[in-house]
Amino acid sequence: MSKKFSSYSILAILVIFAMVLSACGSAETAAEVEESAPVESESMEGEALAVGIILPTKDEPRWIQDETRFTEALTAAGYSVEILFSQGDSAKEKANVEALISKGVKVLIICPQDGTAAAAAAEEANKAGVKVISYDRLIRETTAVDYYVTFDSIAVGAQQAQYLVDKATGTGNPLYLYAGAASDNNAFLFFEGAWSVLQPKIADGTFVVKNSSEAIALQDKATLTRDEMSKIIGQVTTNWDFNTAKNLAEANLTATTAADKGEVFILAPNDGTARAIADAFGVDTDVTMYYVTGQDAEKASVQYIIDGKQSMTVWKDVRTLVADAISAAVALLEGNEPVSQGAYDNGAAEIPAIQSAVVTVDKDNVKSALIDSGYYSAEDFTGLE
Ligand code: BGC
């Protein structure tokens, strides 16, 4: 066994140990890490690891969660690593990839801003002999992706939809649909999962779609093609942007009448857009009650859930995704195949993948799921029972 091989093995053990420690850690430890200064890895102590990480944007709390958890895991294992942000710009993402290749990284962990646009950057890395791990979002239409670590995104959408179904009684309930960015493969998976649960309940009259003529035209189809989903997403996309979400919700509320409101059901794709959409519905006097979904368990949304302003979120424990990505990186550095459980078709190849489960969180289990588990500290919230 070479020296290099054994040092990576030790790293793997350290990382797994750190994961266990962080999973068992007190709420206070989690809070300390949450509040630590943002990392541009040069500021991190520790031996350099031949891995670079590229995340989509600092402007959404979701990706700050990932940055924090990567830093936490790698610092505990005594390693430094460079984490760069693309700030919603595929050109910047490509420049980040090139910068990390020239610094000599051997594995890149990339969450693409735009799944298809990132193919060129992945191919450049591949040509330079760098392994590519697609993180959370799938890089599409290229064979230059070695591995994919993800949450079960179909389940995210299905759980959001199930929550709305469980709250609805009778027929004719107004349903407003919103989706993520069409450039993000996950937006399709979330929508596919949600549609599989909502469609039968639209077909049987429980729900009536109020803001998408394309969804209405397709409401008798249990399974949609990607093109069909594109048509609906084209009408209800938030582009993962809070302002777009707010403006779209306001436009939808202006275009509908009091008869389309009352008690409403809102499929919002993630927490940031859920808060924006909830704020818009919350000030419409014809809306007497709304149920709105989310995902990511962002702190601001956890507070919204406690305050009764957002109904639920789908919690994706980022610690698991980070641990899976690091294990995969270590395996690739050692020249091994990372452990996989199936594969995702990215339009050009079947990419071996590992997938993590997700958890529905609402007011009833917010404390047990997120606080008692040590994911967040109780002090970060007010009004927690
Ligand atoms: C992620 C979500 C996130 C969204 C917007 C998706 O690809 O899976 O967790 O909320 O992008 O950034």
Side-chain angles (χ1 to χ4, degrees):
M1 192 188 283
S2 72
K3 213 170 157 203
K4 196 169 149 211
F5 184 95
S6 58
S7 71
Y8 288 135
S9 303
I10 291 165
L11 168 68
I13 292 160
L14 283 172
V15 165
I16 289 159
F17 181 62
M19 290 291 108
V20 171
L21 270 186
S22 95
C24 304
S26 69
E28 225 170 290
T29 313
E32 273 164 30
V33 175
E34 277 295 303
E35 277 148 25
S36 67
V39 174
E40 296 296 347
S41 69
E42 249 61 87
S43 64
M44 279 168 62
E45 305 277 328
E47 191 185 326
L49 180 65
V51 175
I53 299 167
I54 301 176
L55 297 173
T57 178
K58 275 189 185 234
D59 295 339
E60 292 174 37
R62 159 70 215 264
W63 306 113
I64 302 295
Q65 280 197 48
D66 297 72
E67 179 196 39
T68 304
R69 302 302 183 177
F70 265 118
T71 306
E72 184 181 14
L74 290 162
T75 306
Y79 279 86
S80 72
V81 71
E82 189 139 16
I83 303 177
L84 300 176
F85 285 86
S86 310
Q87 292 310 103
D89 176 355
S90 294
K92 178 150 193 203
E93 180 178 88
K94 193 148 181 283
N96 284 341
V97 169
E98 286 160 4
L100 291 173
I101 295 173
S102 70
K103 285 186 179 181
V105 301
K106 297 283 174 268
V107 176
L108 271 173
I109 297 173
I110 312 179
C111 180
Q113 168 57 30
D114 175 315
T116 309
E123 281 159 18
E124 202 168 325
N126 180 269
K127 283 202 189 85
V130 173
K131 299 284 185 192
V132 175
I133 298 174
S134 207
Y135 179 84
D136 192 278
R137 298 177 177 172
L138 187 57
I139 300 173
R140 286 185 54 82
E141 310 294 345
T142 177
T143 56
V145 183
D146 295 281
Y147 191 65
Y148 180 35
V149 288
T150 182
F151 290 103
D152 184 346
S153 296
I154 302 253
V156 171
Q159 288 181 208
Q160 292 171 332
Q162 192 59 51
Y163 195 87
L164 298 179
V165 168
D166 290 346
K167 297 293 172 193
T169 51
T171 56
N173 295 287
L175 177 65
Y176 291 79
L177 301 172
Y178 297 95
S183 58
D184 177 4
N185 191 58
N186 286 347
F188 288 83
L189 299 173
F190 301 143
F191 195 81
E192 182 183 337
W195 187 259
S196 70
V197 175
L198 288 174
Q199 186 276 334
K201 294 291 176 184
I202 300 169
D204 77 4
T206 305
F207 292 118
V208 180
V209 176
K210 295 294 179 184
N211 68 332
S212 168
S213 57
E214 296 287 358
I216 293 167
L218 291 161
Q219 69 187 16
D220 292 325
K221 278 200 80 179
T223 311
L224 302 179
T225 64
R226 197 172 170 99
D227 278 353
E228 288 167 340
M229 282 192 278
S230 290
K231 286 185 184 164
I232 303 174
I233 292 173
Q235 287 184 325
V236 302
T237 184
T238 60
N239 226 359
W240 292 135
D241 176 67
F242 313 153
N243 284 324
T244 307
K246 181 171 174 280
N247 292 337
L248 180 61
E250 285 171 354
N252 293 158
L253 288 164
T254 305
T256 46
T257 66
D260 303 310
K261 300 177 189 173
E263 184 173 285
V264 304
F265 295 79
I266 311 163
L267 178 78
N270 76 344
D271 282 352
T273 59
R275 295 192 301 278
I277 294 166
D279 290 347
F281 277 78
V283 296
D284 188 311
T285 49
D286 293 327
V287 174
T288 52
M289 165 80 185
Y290 66 82
Y291 294 95
V292 64
T293 61
Q295 75 168 298
D296 294 334
E298 289 181 0
K299 280 187 184 170
S301 278
V302 173
Q303 189 62 57
Y304 260 48
I305 290 172
I306 297 166
D307 295 342
K309 294 199 281 186
Q310 182 176 325
S311 315
M312 63 87 80
T313 187
V314 180
W315 175 36
K316 311 200 295 191
D317 187 336
V318 170
R319 295 172 300 190
T320 314
L321 202 64
V322 161
D324 286 346
I326 294 173
S327 306
V330 169
L332 291 167
L333 285 168
E334 290 176 353
N336 293 333
E337 289 288 312
V339 180
S340 62
Q341 308 158 329
Y344 273 74
D345 183 351
N346 79 343
E350 292 283 323
I351 311 298
I354 191 158
Q355 182 169 294
S356 298
V358 298
V359 178
T360 294
V361 172
D362 71 358
K363 214 169 180 168
D364 293 341
N365 67 342
V366 64
K367 188 170 172 298
S368 61
L370 297 175
I371 311 296
D372 299 347
S373 70
Y375 197 71
Y376 287 139
S377 165
E379 288 123 54
D380 294 339
F381 306 101
T382 55
L384 201 63
E385 278 158 26

